[in-house]
Amino acid sequence: MARRSITKWLFICILGFTGFMRLQGILAAEALPQFVEITETAGIDFVHNSGAFGKKYLPETMGSGCAFIDYDNDGWVDILFVNGKDWPGHPTGKRQTMGLYRNNRDGTFADVTRPAGLDVALYGMGVAVGDYDNDGDADLYISCLGADRLFQNQGDGTFVDVTEGAGIHNPGFGTSCAWLDYDKDGNLDLYVANYVEWTIDTDLFCTLDGTNKSYCTPESYSGQSSRLFRNRGDGTFADVSRIARIEDATSKSLGVCIFDYNGDGWPDIFEANDTQPNKLYQNNGDGTFIERGMIAGIAYNESGVAMGAMGIDAGDYDGSGRAGLVIGNFSNEMMNLYHNEGELFIDDAPIANIGNASLLTLTFGCFFFDFDLDGKLDIFAANGHVENDINAVQSGVTYAQVPHLFHNHGAGRFEDVALKVGPALRKPIVARGAAYGDIDNDGDWDVLVTTSNGKAHLYRNDGVNPNNWIKLRLIGRESNRNGIGARITIKSESGIQTRTLKSGASYCSQSELAAIFGVGNDTRIDAIAIYWPSGAVDRLVNVKPNQLIIIEEGKESE
């Protein structure tokens, strides 16, 4: 008998069968992929600038987002950081522009902000990536405090500001944004979430201790309506917020996610509001929406109270074929994990082991992704408070916080494994934006996180992972070029998985516009189906895993 077999037999004799199975479970848990911080070695030196100089202006607490974008179409995702800037008359000596870092394909990145034409000083907040002109390259929308900006990709490694000529006008307090084709005409439209009415002149004095100024909460200010811009298909946009019936000045929106919650084939809009009811805009299919947040059970928490909602994502985390929702909330308000029952959502966070684990953290960016490629969507949450002295008044709450990494064990149960995937995620940070992308094209998701007035963090997904995968990129023809809004299903021995390719989600950030499906030990994918926004369907059968497939609309049609 081999030495390994003898050792195994001795373990069984000593521990008994039950004990041995527990040991196997521990060893399996230790085999989780590890996240390694490579920010410095990758050449990324971006530091966010909130402009803070002691006045505690509200926008300083919000941070900015980030994006994975293949801006030069070389098949390797690059990185974009949105940035704030100094307040007038108060120089900080910190960077004033956003940062675009080109992927060198060797594990390092180069700062190409200036040659790309993006060295523009903005008090930026959010970013959405999408090919709005269907010319084959990725364009950028940057939401700002003040006027937003639309940057058109020229296809030669540079961007041009086309905001004015495109008819985009959003002078408010823009936050998260997302591209979508709400009328399914093949052209990407734009949804921009707005926050509150704030200027330096209208800044209010708020305090936690009765003496010193603190950052005000959003209750102190009036809300702003979000905006919906329809793409006319000629390079210009029309503000259709009012006629589409999404205009609501009571909203104080920080997160936006596009998903077809009722399965009728039309993209709906979920808007996460801070201290105001969340909104679910159901697409009527005629250019208008109807708000159904309260009816669907996601406007308030179970006590009927509006939450401090920020980050948001949608995903089929339970294999039901319907997308549920994860929402990041303020500290002392647990995250929400809404199970989609068809027309109604039920918050499963308490029974899913997410509620108590997230009670004291303040979550900005959050998203679904399958970090260990086992075929089940896990959850990442980027955490950090808005008050640097919060611990003085709430002993259980800290300013810098560790992230959550909720591992999906199936049957609606999750486990926070952030402390089990290497030392990188054990470090408390003041996190804001968060996104996922495959920076090294190895088939697993890496993670990018921004912080408030601090350094960015790039975590590479490492370690020996025996699980198989398939990665899909879409090229639309009748549909928008990115395939945004396409529903993808795969079938393998393990079962059926569903994803929808989407822009936006998380908080002020954009993940890579691709889909990765983990299939565990399955050595063959029986079928892949892409349901395009145009109504076309493409199918592939008997596909080998562990490869990237680029699927062009109509090339594999029924």
Side-chain angles (χ1 to χ4, degrees), residues 31 49 70 108 129 168 196 238 256 266 376 401 421 535 539:
N49 181 12
D70 183 7
T108 67
V129 176
I168 295 288
V196 296
V256 59
W266 292 89
K376 297 184 289 291
Q401 301 174 357
V421 293
R539 298 186 187 274

Side-chain angles (χ1 to χ4, degrees), residues 299-362:
Y300 304 93
N301 67 9
E302 292 182 350
S303 300
V305 177
M307 308 284 276
M310 286 161 286
I312 172 71
D313 197 13
D316 180 14
Y317 67 88
D318 60 353
S320 65
R322 297 185 297 269
L325 291 168
V326 61
I327 304 175
N329 293 310
F330 208 78
S331 57
N332 298 304
E333 299 174 344
M334 64 182 64
M335 294 175 66
N336 302 119
L337 179 66
Y338 283 111
H339 184 263
N340 189 338
E341 303 286 333
E343 295 287 338
L344 181 68
F345 291 83
I346 304 296
D347 191 356
D348 281 348
I351 64 172
N353 301 322
I354 288 176
N356 285 337
S358 63
L359 183 60
L360 296 181
T361 49
L362 194 162

Side-chain angles (χ1 to χ4, degrees), residues 104-371:
N104 293 327
R105 313 184 203 178
D106 61 0
T108 67
F109 292 77
D111 189 340
V112 294
T113 312
R114 183 179 296 275
L118 294 177
D119 54 332
V120 182
L122 308 167
Y123 205 101
M125 292 294 299
V127 54
V129 176
D131 184 3
Y132 80 90
D133 50 6
N134 287 327
D135 66 351
D137 45 42
D139 307 302
L140 286 170
Y141 188 88
I142 307 294
S143 63
C144 303
L145 174 66
D148 296 355
R149 300 293 184 90
L150 175 63
F151 293 95
Q152 183 185 50
N153 192 327
Q154 301 301 291
D156 59 0
T158 66
F159 292 83
V160 172
D161 186 342
V162 296
T163 314
E164 185 175 352
I168 295 288
H169 183 62
N170 184 47
F173 191 159
T175 54
S176 295
C177 43
W179 296 101
L180 73 160
D181 186 2
Y182 81 95
D183 51 3
K184 298 202 293 187
D185 66 351
N187 298 307
L188 286 177
D189 312 299
L190 180 68
Y191 190 89
V192 186
N194 285 320
Y195 194 38
V196 296
E197 294 285 349
W198 181 93
T199 65
I200 291 177
D201 293 336
T202 60
D203 184 68
L204 300 174
F205 180 87
C206 298
T207 180
L208 291 174
D209 60 12
T211 302
N212 300 300
K213 185 179 181 184
S214 65
Y215 288 110
C216 292
T217 63
E219 289 101 329
S220 304
Y221 298 95
S222 301
Q224 287 186 337
S225 174
S226 298
R227 314 310 300 174
L228 177 63
F229 296 97
R230 182 176 63 82
N231 189 335
R232 294 190 177 105
D234 61 359
T236 67
F237 292 79
D239 186 342
V240 296
S241 309
R242 180 166 297 179
I243 62 175
R245 302 176 187 171
I246 62 94
E247 194 172 67
D248 185 349
T250 68
S251 294
K252 300 177 181 180
S253 306
L254 290 178
V256 59
C257 182
I258 312 300
F259 74 124
D260 181 9
Y261 91 95
N262 56 358
D264 65 354
W266 292 89
D268 308 304
I269 302 168
F270 182 86
E271 182 182 86
N273 281 303
D274 189 3
T275 71
Q276 289 292 308
N278 296 324
K279 304 292 174 59
L280 176 60
Y281 292 109
Q282 178 182 303
N283 195 328
N284 294 322
D286 59 1
T288 67
F289 294 80
I290 183 171
E291 206 288 300
R292 298 184 63 85
M294 185 178 296
I295 294 174
I298 52 180
Y300 304 93
N301 67 9
E302 292 182 350
S303 300
V305 177
M307 308 284 276
M310 286 161 286
I312 172 71
D313 197 13
D316 180 14
Y317 67 88
D318 60 353
S320 65
R322 297 185 297 269
L325 291 168
V326 61
I327 304 175
N329 293 310
F330 208 78
S331 57
N332 298 304
E333 299 174 344
M334 64 182 64
M335 294 175 66
N336 302 119
L337 179 66
Y338 283 111
H339 184 263
N340 189 338
E341 303 286 333
E343 295 287 338
L344 181 68
F345 291 83
I346 304 296
D347 191 356
D348 281 348
I351 64 172
N353 301 322
I354 288 176
N356 285 337
S358 63
L359 183 60
L360 296 181
T361 49
L362 194 162
T363 300
F364 277 85
C366 59
F367 50 75
F368 290 107
F369 74 145
D370 183 3
F371 83 93

